[in-house]
Amino acid sequence: MPEVNEYGQPVGDPVAGWSPRARPDAVTLEGRYVVVEPLAVSHAVALLASTCGSGDRPLWTYRATEPPADLDEMTGLIARTLATPDLLTFALVPEGRTAEGIASFTRLDPATGQVEVAGVLFARTMQRTRAATEAIHLLMRHAFDDLGYRRFEWKCDSLNEPSRRAAARLGFRYEGRFRHHMVTKGRNRDTDWFAVTDSEWPAVRAAHEAWLDPSNFDQDRRQVTSLSAAWGTASA
C-alpha cells in the first residue's frame, strides 16, 4: 500500500537500490528456434523476399510505411531505420533460415528502466510459430534479466486485432487507449498500451519457457498446452 509522507500525502513505494540502467546495445540473442541479431543492410534481400511478396501487403497495413517494392527500397528503409536515434532494431532469423522479421527497442529510458518493443513484423512463414514467440521472449528476457529494467511495453493501433491478441497471449496487461495518438498514412490512430513489469516478469517468463519447451509439442509440432492457458484465456 502507498505510504503517507509527513504532509499526509500518499506516495509511491520506495524502490530499494534503484540506479539508472545501461542502455540496450546491439547484441545477438540466441534461442532454440530463432536468433535475434542486430539489423543490417545485409538483411535486405531476405526481408524483401519474406515480407514483400505479392500477398504480403496486409502485413504492412498498420505500419508507418508501405512495403518496399524492390531491393533498393528495402535497403533504403533499413538504412533509415538504422539512422533513427531512438530505435535499436533487430532482425529475426528462424533456425536454419534467413531473416523473416524485425523488431525494435524504442522509447528507451535507462534512467527509469523502461523500454518498448515496436515495429514488430513477422513474415507469414514466421507467424504463429515457436520462433515468433521466442523472439519476443528473448527481447523481454534481455531487458529484464540482463539489463534490470522495470517495465517492458507493447503498443499497437487499436484496430490491429492480431497485435492486441499477441500482446495478451504473451502476458502483457492492457493499460488503456490513447485516443488520437498519431496520424499514420493520413489516417487517425488510437493506440492501445500494454506492459509487463519486473514484478510480473517471473511468472511471464516461466509461462513462456514452459510453452517453448520441446516437450510441449507433439511429433507434428502441435502444441500440447497453449500459452494463453497460463492467463486463463482460450486462444493459442
Side-chain angles (χ1 to χ4, degrees), residues 187-212:
R187 296 180 182 274
N188 175 64
R189 168 173 149 166
D190 296 345
T191 298
D192 284 355
W193 289 48
F194 301 81
V196 174
T197 67
D198 56 349
S199 61
E200 297 161 347
W201 169 240
V204 172
R205 178 182 59 207
H208 288 183
E209 291 173 348
W211 187 84
L212 289 165

Side-chain angles (χ1 to χ4, degrees), residues 25-47:
D25 201 359
V27 298
T28 296
L29 308 171
E30 297 188 13
R32 282 194 183 99
Y33 314 110
V34 70
V35 175
V36 176
E37 62 188 32
L39 179 67
V41 171
S42 59
H43 291 113
V45 172
L47 288 172

